[in-house]
Amino acid sequence: MAKLCLEPPIYKVGDLYYSPTSAVVENQGELSRLRAREANLFYELIKTFPDVLSRTSIEQTLWKDSYATNATINQTVKALRFSLQDVDRTLIRTIPKQGYVLSAAPQIEDSYGQTIVEEPKQTERLPSDSQQEDTLAPKSNVVQSVTTILVIAIASFALSASGVFVSKPNRISQQYGKHWILFNATEQELSALPVKQNESTKYITKHESFYRVCSETTGVLECQKIDF
Amino acid sequence: MPKNRLLVLFLLTVTAGLSGSLGNQVYHYLNDPFRLYEGSWQGEGAIYVGDKKIDSNAFMLVNNNDIRLSINNKYQDFSYTYDGNLVLQQREHVSAHFDIENRHVRGLETFIENTKIDVPLGGNLLRLNAWHLDEGRIFVEVEQSNGLDVPYILTKKSDG
């Protein structure tokens, strides 16, 4: 839906409000956009007030590069009256042999609030870029939302599957040189262990009062107890 | 807040929860010890009773959430066997502690009779402590009620 609004400057003519910038007229709360020729004619009437706008001026202003017959001008005035709902010709008066004049003095309205309503009844505008953007916007929002959801899903799946949220117990075995120490040993305890670095690989477990030191000999594990 | 924003927020929360839960299940599946260690494992150790050395052979089978341990102790031509099921009690980063259930001892009295080795009667498997060493190797320490604890290094023999 196109947005109609009265853009400054806004003229109050009788009960009407008119914006020559946007060619929008408000009549009893209803907004509509005038056709280009009607808009220009109405603006000329406003600018000319209180003088009479002659047919010659209308032809020179509205048909600069062409010509207009009396019938053409009559038709344009009739269309403008119809758009302004001035059927009884009280707003735009015909001055015989001279031209046309507004019956009410146009006044600039500074305090008029901008109004937004639906599609105009008459318009010459083609669908604009902003209208296309309006229809495309919901689609792009959906795509963005789906993308976000996918990213969140993949990220939370990957993080969970990698075990980030799982509390891992402390490792209690460690290699000290080539020896396996199968308990939590302090640095001091490690250096005091009854093993030497140049010996064959030892596997050491700790018990209440002794270490069990094992080594492999031809595939068989043999152990000895060493008291603290 | 607009309704569609609330809907997106709701969907985000649900999606994060569901995919997180799914990821957690995948993690537990990938790190399931029964899956990681599935197969048969074997290792040799030795028991000293007095001046006699008894060769001990441990065999562990991990299959379908069940771990069966069998230990065969042999001296010359005589042997006896311990069997039991391992029940996981505590699992740490590279170690685990098991209780042994459904324990059976076969041939111990005959073994003592034939070898005259004074293996304490009434001994049985109590617990097993295991440490992952490196790929395909586990250090296990089998505690027995008679005090004859035996460690083994089990190596993987098959995938089950």
Side-chain angles (χ1 to χ4, degrees):
Chain A
M1 300 288 274
K3 295 171 183 175
L4 290 184
C5 64
L6 291 169
E7 296 172 20
I10 298 167
Y11 293 93
K12 185 175 188 300
V13 186
D15 296 332
L16 300 176
Y17 292 92
Y18 177 64
S19 162
T21 311
S22 56
V24 170
V25 61
E26 188 208 294
N27 190 357
Q28 296 176 346
E30 188 176 326
L31 277 80
S32 58
R33 178 171 281 125
L34 298 180
R35 295 175 188 275
R37 198 86 75 185
E38 296 167 23
N40 290 339
L41 175 60
F42 194 28
Y43 192 38
E44 286 303 314
L45 285 166
I46 289 170
K47 286 192 293 185
T48 311
F49 185 87
D51 297 333
V52 175
L53 181 64
S54 66
R55 285 179 168 270
T56 312
S57 295
I58 292 172
E59 186 177 358
Q60 286 172 352
T61 313
L62 274 63
W63 284 271
K64 281 178 190 169
D65 302 321
S66 58
Y67 68 94
T69 62
N70 279 336
T72 310
I73 294 171
N74 288 345
Q75 185 59 39
T76 306
V77 173
K78 186 179 177 184
L80 177 60
R81 281 176 168 148
F82 181 79
S83 296
L84 301 179
Q85 298 178 12
D86 183 32
V87 184
D88 53 2
R89 303 181 179 190
T90 53
L91 183 64
I92 301 172
R93 286 183 182 163
T94 304
I95 308 297
K97 311 270 184 192
Q98 292 184 48
Y100 302 93
V101 67
L102 292 174
S103 62
Q107 294 172 339
I108 288 281
E109 279 287 318
D110 293 327
S111 58
Y112 185 87
Q114 291 189 342
T115 312
I116 298 171
V117 294
E118 71 275 13
E119 188 81 19
K121 290 174 183 171
Q122 297 174 354
T123 178
E124 287 182 340
R125 288 182 67 196
L126 292 170
S128 65
D129 289 344
S130 64
Q131 281 174 301
Q132 290 175 357
E133 283 167 13
D134 286 345
T135 55
L136 289 175
K139 286 181 185 173
S140 69
N141 282 344
V142 170
V143 170
Q144 192 180 6
S145 301
V146 170
T147 309
T148 308
I149 288 170
L150 276 176
V151 167
I152 293 284
I154 292 168
S156 58
F157 176 83
L159 284 172
S160 303
S162 66
V164 168
F165 303 121
V166 177
S167 60
K168 290 177 181 169
N170 292 327
R171 186 187 181 99
I172 61 160
S173 72
Q174 52 190 308
Q175 273 195 289
Y176 181 60
K178 58 184 177 181
H179 305 305
W180 285 91
I181 312 300
L182 305 177
F183 59 95
N184 273 327
T186 60
E187 281 295 324
Q188 199 175 9
E189 201 170 15
L190 282 173
S191 57
L193 284 172
V195 292
K196 294 174 183 170
Q197 290 301 330
N198 54 2
E199 288 179 324
S200 61
T201 304
K202 307 286 188 197
Y203 305 87
I204 304 168
T205 56
K206 187 180 182 182
H207 297 262
E208 282 185 9
S209 59
F210 62 90
Y211 295 115
R212 178 175 280 125
V213 182
C214 303
S215 60
E216 265 186 311
T217 311
T218 61
V220 180
L221 194 67
E222 298 201 23
C223 306
Q224 55 179 324
K225 290 179 182 178
I226 299 175
D227 293 329
F228 295 154
Chain B
M1 191 179 284
K3 277 184 181 177
N4 57 348
R5 283 261 176 99
L6 279 175
L7 181 66
V8 168
L9 197 63
F10 173 75
L11 285 175
L12 281 175
T13 310
V14 170
T15 305
L18 285 177
S19 55
S21 170
L22 192 64
N24 197 38
Q25 286 182 25
V26 168
Y27 172 82
H28 283 291
Y29 171 76
L30 292 176
N31 291 278
D32 179 19
F34 290 100
R35 198 186 74 83
L36 288 175
Y37 296 102
E38 187 168 23
S40 61
W41 300 74
Q42 194 174 4
E44 293 177 26
I47 304 169
Y48 288 91
V49 181
D51 58 346
K52 303 282 175 49
K53 179 190 171 191
I54 302 171
D55 296 324
S56 184
N57 199 320
F59 183 82
M60 188 172 76
L61 183 66
V62 183
N63 189 26
N64 291 335
N65 294 343
D66 185 62
I67 307 175
R68 185 75 182 163
L69 176 71
S70 178
I71 293 175
N72 181 262
N73 294 331
K74 186 177 179 185
Y75 180 78
Q76 296 174 345
D77 293 331
F78 306 103
S79 65
Y80 64 100
T81 307
Y82 290 117
D83 287 298
N85 282 88
L86 302 185
V87 179
L88 183 65
Q89 291 300 315
Q90 185 185 348
R91 186 180 171 220
E92 292 167 354
H93 185 51
V94 288
S95 65
H97 307 282
F98 298 87
D99 277 351
I100 301 175
E101 295 181 350
N102 298 327
R103 296 168 290 191
H104 299 285
V105 188
R106 292 187 180 88
L108 179 57
E109 289 180 14
T110 311
F111 177 85
I112 294 171
E113 210 174 287
N114 290 327
T115 59
K116 310 298 180 197
I117 298 174
D118 191 18
V119 177
L121 274 171
N124 213 330
L125 305 178
L126 279 182
R127 276 178 295 275
L128 181 140
N129 304 313
W131 291 264
H132 176 87
L133 294 175
D134 37 37
E135 197 56 41
R137 288 205 315 157
I138 307 172
F139 182 95
V140 298
E141 199 173 57
V142 180
E143 294 179 26
Q144 297 185 42
S145 58
N146 55 19
L148 294 177
D149 301 349
V150 191
Y152 307 86
I153 290 178
L154 302 181
T155 53
K156 197 164 192 178
K157 297 300 176 188
S158 77
D159 289 332

